[in-house]
Amino acid sequence: MKKYLYQIKFFIFMRVLCDGIMALSIAALPALQKQLFDLLTGDDVRINSFVTIIVIYAICLLLEVVFCYLSMIFNWKGNLKFEQSLKKDFFRSIFSYKYEEFSKKEIGEYISIQGNDITALEQDYLTPLVDIIQATNKIIIFGIFLFLNVDWRISIVILLGSVFTIIIPKVASNHLANKRNAYLNQMGLYVSRIKDFLEGFKVIQSRTRNSMNIEHEKSLNKTTAMRFKYGKFKCLTMALEHLSLNFVSAVAFIIAAVLLFKKEITLGTCVATFGYINSFIGPINDFMYDFNAVSSLKHTKEKILSYLKEIPNDNLTIKKEFNDHIIFENVSFDYKGFSLKNLSCKFEKGKKYALIGHNGSGKSTLINMLMDYITPTSGIIKIDGENINSLDSASIMYCLNQHEHIFLGDFMDNATVFSSYSESDVNNTTNKLKLNIVDVIRSKNNSDKLSGGEKQTLAIIRMLTANTDICLMDEPFSAIDAKTTELLEDTLLNMKDKTIIMVTHKLSEDLRKFDEILLMENGEIIQKGSFEEIYKTEQFKNLKKIS
């Protein structure tokens, strides 16, 4: 967190400086009130002194307003920069994760951290943290003015009583932090639940709507209850703080009244006492409130900082060329009852491979392991003899999923992934395809509104624009019409410089276009060869019957 505080050090310094000048202006007011009352109750009332006090009093009020405004401006600028830096680094850190690491948490949790936790850190950690510095400055300034202008006995009572009240937030801080953390964790679960409900909007209709509302309200009620528990305890600690401060004020008030009755202090000193009680007690109250606020965000701060770590893949070797082959050596993978058993196979540069088999046979798992989306339980995968765990293969390998994500931007934003690839490459790709559907896709301002087939076509354009040597595809034509599919498939499979590994459920004569077919079942490759060789096997005939 020091890094982000250092980035806004100028704004913090200026805010503290402005607040210090404001505190001096406020601290001078009871002293001026004392002089005014002592002047008016004295034997010699001088008009010049009277006017001087009034003018200085007015100047102090003006300075308080001006520097209060400047303090708030620096506060806004610093807080916004702090939040912006945290959110920027949070996304940079998340974007550097391996997919396997990223997918361990719900997307809703990431959204909650970005939208709720970081904002809470800015509002309830940074602001109170700086306020503690400001409150400390005020306590020092008001303390000096207190001892200079008020009877020492009253000053000691106010000072000792105020120090005692600071103990309260320290005692309550851990319990308050735990309750705040429990609420924020539940808030993250609630955001994930909301995302889940909205993504399933098509399922919501007259028969399901009431049950969905009940399910939502269960999650909402639990979140509300967690927040109330946190709020109730926070209210209790604040009430105890106010009680202790009011007790100090009452004791100081009684002592001042007795001393005035005994004529041991002047009326002006008594008036100044009452002014400094409010002025001195106020920063103490702010200090306790801010201390509790900072303490309550302890777990949230630790959680956010755990995400803002060094890029985990910065030690990978960037693989810029694919020269020869991909090899799976005795690769196994186990997950929730599914097993891939000692798989060994080889994919050679420039050849076209089709992966076929029942759903759940391991086709997509093979692709996901090659993309390093998941880690094999045992065995090794190599590209040109190098372990993929040590490689950054983005320059040579691209994976196209069946439900490839299309961003909310326009055609060019999606095809270039927001200018990651050049527009000229996009234009070259679309010119080679010569498809009418491309013009339709280009005309849409929001690509998320495209049909399923249009989205898949755009995803293929994006893959071709990336121009990698290896293209991995998982059912890339499932939503595209037959004519467009044939044109795209022919284009892809006729590219001699591309190595293509495609998962497909098509068992037609079109499989002749591939150099080799791998038939998978229950996590194993049970047959492989050309279409003519595979077509004659009993396993292929059985697969075709079921399909």
Side-chain angles (χ1 to χ4, degrees), residues 316-317 379-392:
L316 297 179
T317 301
I380 190 170
I381 305 171
K382 297 179 180 178
I383 299 178
D384 292 336
E386 298 177 272
N387 192 326
I388 62 165
N389 292 334
S390 64
L391 300 177
D392 179 343

Side-chain angles (χ1 to χ4, degrees), residues 151 154 249-267 269-271 273-274 277:
D151 186 89
I154 303 173
S249 297
V251 172
F253 179 85
I254 292 170
I255 293 173
V258 170
L259 293 176
L260 181 63
F261 180 78
K262 290 182 177 182
K263 296 185 178 179
E264 294 184 24
I265 59 174
T266 64
L267 179 62
T269 300
C270 188
V271 170
T273 298
F274 299 149
I277 287 174

Side-chain angles (χ1 to χ4, degrees), residues 30-187:
L32 291 169
Q33 292 169 356
K34 174 189 175 183
Q35 291 184 29
L36 179 63
F37 275 88
D38 287 344
L39 177 67
L40 294 177
T41 55
D43 297 330
D44 184 18
V45 180
R46 285 175 287 186
I47 298 299
N48 290 340
S49 299
F50 177 78
V51 173
T52 300
I53 291 171
I54 297 298
V55 171
I56 294 175
Y57 195 91
I59 291 173
C60 287
L61 289 176
L62 180 62
L63 288 173
E64 178 194 353
V65 173
V66 171
F67 283 96
C68 177
Y69 169 77
L70 291 175
S71 176
M72 290 188 291
I73 290 295
F74 286 118
N75 174 54
W76 271 99
K77 287 186 175 181
N79 285 11
L80 289 174
K81 183 175 177 60
F82 176 83
E83 182 179 357
Q84 183 185 34
S85 295
L86 274 173
K87 289 187 173 181
K88 180 183 71 175
D89 285 0
F90 175 73
F91 255 73
R92 285 180 179 272
S93 179
I94 296 304
F95 286 170
S96 70
Y97 282 12
K98 292 175 64 175
Y99 181 80
E100 188 173 23
E101 183 180 5
F102 170 79
S103 58
K104 288 178 181 178
K105 293 183 174 61
E106 296 286 339
I107 290 178
E109 182 172 344
Y110 296 115
I111 295 172
S112 180
I113 291 172
Q114 181 78 351
N116 297 321
D117 292 10
I118 292 179
T119 299
L121 201 63
E122 176 261 310
Q123 294 175 346
D124 295 333
Y125 177 82
L126 173 64
T127 297
L129 189 65
V130 179
D131 284 347
I132 287 173
I133 301 173
Q134 294 176 327
T136 302
N137 286 343
K138 288 179 181 178
I139 291 169
I140 294 171
I141 292 170
F142 291 143
I144 293 171
F145 273 78
L146 181 69
F147 275 92
L148 290 176
N149 294 284
V150 176
D151 186 89
W152 65 272
R153 289 164 290 186
I154 303 173
S155 301
I156 288 177
V157 168
I158 294 175
L159 183 63
L160 292 179
S162 299
V163 170
F164 174 75
T165 60
I166 295 176
I167 298 174
I168 295 175
K170 181 64 177 176
V171 173
S173 62
N174 285 335
H175 199 48
L176 190 66
N178 291 334
K179 288 188 176 295
R180 177 69 177 268
N181 187 55
Y183 158 62
L184 289 174
N185 285 338
Q186 177 57 35
M187 188 64 190

Side-chain angles (χ1 to χ4, degrees), residues 182-197:
Y183 158 62
L184 289 174
N185 285 338
Q186 177 57 35
M187 188 64 190
L189 294 175
Y190 176 64
V191 171
S192 294
R193 201 77 171 124
I194 290 295
K195 178 180 177 293
D196 184 40
F197 289 151

Side-chain angles (χ1 to χ4, degrees), residues 243-491:
L243 177 64
S244 62
L245 290 172
N246 287 342
F247 178 76
V248 173
S249 297
V251 172
F253 179 85
I254 292 170
I255 293 173
V258 170
L259 293 176
L260 181 63
F261 180 78
K262 290 182 177 182
K263 296 185 178 179
E264 294 184 24
I265 59 174
T266 64
L267 179 62
T269 300
C270 188
V271 170
T273 298
F274 299 149
Y276 282 119
I277 287 174
N278 293 327
S279 297
F280 191 77
I281 295 297
I284 294 290
N285 186 49
D286 292 341
F287 183 93
M288 291 191 295
Y289 178 86
D290 294 330
F291 185 88
N292 270 333
V294 170
S295 298
S296 72
L297 265 292
K298 179 176 68 175
H299 297 300
T300 303
K301 182 185 74 170
E302 291 171 355
K303 180 170 71 172
I304 292 172
L305 288 177
S306 71
Y307 285 92
L308 302 175
K309 53 190 177 183
E310 295 297 323
I311 296 175
N313 298 324
D314 58 357
N315 59 340
L316 297 179
T317 301
I318 297 176
K319 180 75 170 169
K320 294 185 177 180
E321 292 183 357
F322 176 48
N323 300 311
D324 193 33
H325 58 262
I326 300 166
I327 290 181
F328 284 67
E329 294 181 355
N330 298 316
V331 174
S332 297
F333 178 76
D334 295 292
Y335 181 72
K336 292 184 178 180
F338 172 79
S339 293
L340 199 89
K341 311 175 189 73
N342 297 319
L343 184 144
S344 294
C345 58
K346 182 177 182 180
F347 301 98
E348 297 181 7
K349 179 178 173 64
K351 289 191 175 182
K352 314 300 184 282
Y353 298 86
L355 301 180
I356 62 173
H358 301 297
N359 288 332
S361 61
K363 305 183 299 297
S364 296
T365 301
L366 187 150
I367 294 289
N368 289 334
M369 286 193 297
L370 186 51
M371 282 301 296
D372 206 17
Y373 293 158
I374 56 177
T375 303
T377 309
S378 62
I380 190 170
I381 305 171
K382 297 179 180 178
I383 299 178
D384 292 336
E386 298 177 272
N387 192 326
I388 62 165
N389 292 334
S390 64
L391 300 177
D392 179 343
S393 60
S395 297
I396 64 162
M397 189 158 58
Y398 190 101
C399 182
L400 180 63
N401 299 293
Q402 181 178 358
H403 303 291
E404 188 76 2
H405 183 74
I406 298 299
F407 297 101
L408 296 176
D410 59 19
F411 168 82
M412 200 57 73
D413 284 339
N414 274 280
T416 65
V417 190
F418 303 99
S419 300
S420 300
Y421 315 130
S422 71
E423 291 190 16
S424 61
D425 288 342
V426 175
N427 294 328
N428 290 336
T429 297
T430 54
N431 289 337
K432 290 177 183 177
L433 292 176
K434 297 179 181 178
L435 295 172
N436 293 332
I437 193 174
V438 173
D439 295 328
V440 177
I441 298 171
R442 279 181 177 273
S443 66
K444 303 288 180 67
N445 291 326
N446 184 357
S447 296
D448 189 54
K449 301 298 183 183
L450 298 172
S451 68
E454 290 169 341
K455 286 183 177 180
Q456 284 192 331
T457 303
L458 176 52
I460 290 170
I461 292 171
R462 182 159 66 196
M463 178 189 71
L464 293 174
T465 301
N467 194 28
T468 56
D469 293 335
I470 305 167
C471 296
L472 312 179
M473 289 177 274
D474 193 347
E475 290 291 335
F477 311 115
S478 59
I480 303 176
D481 65 83
K483 184 178 179 181
T484 305
T485 294
E486 185 176 358
L487 288 171
L488 287 170
E489 191 172 62
D490 287 343
T491 299

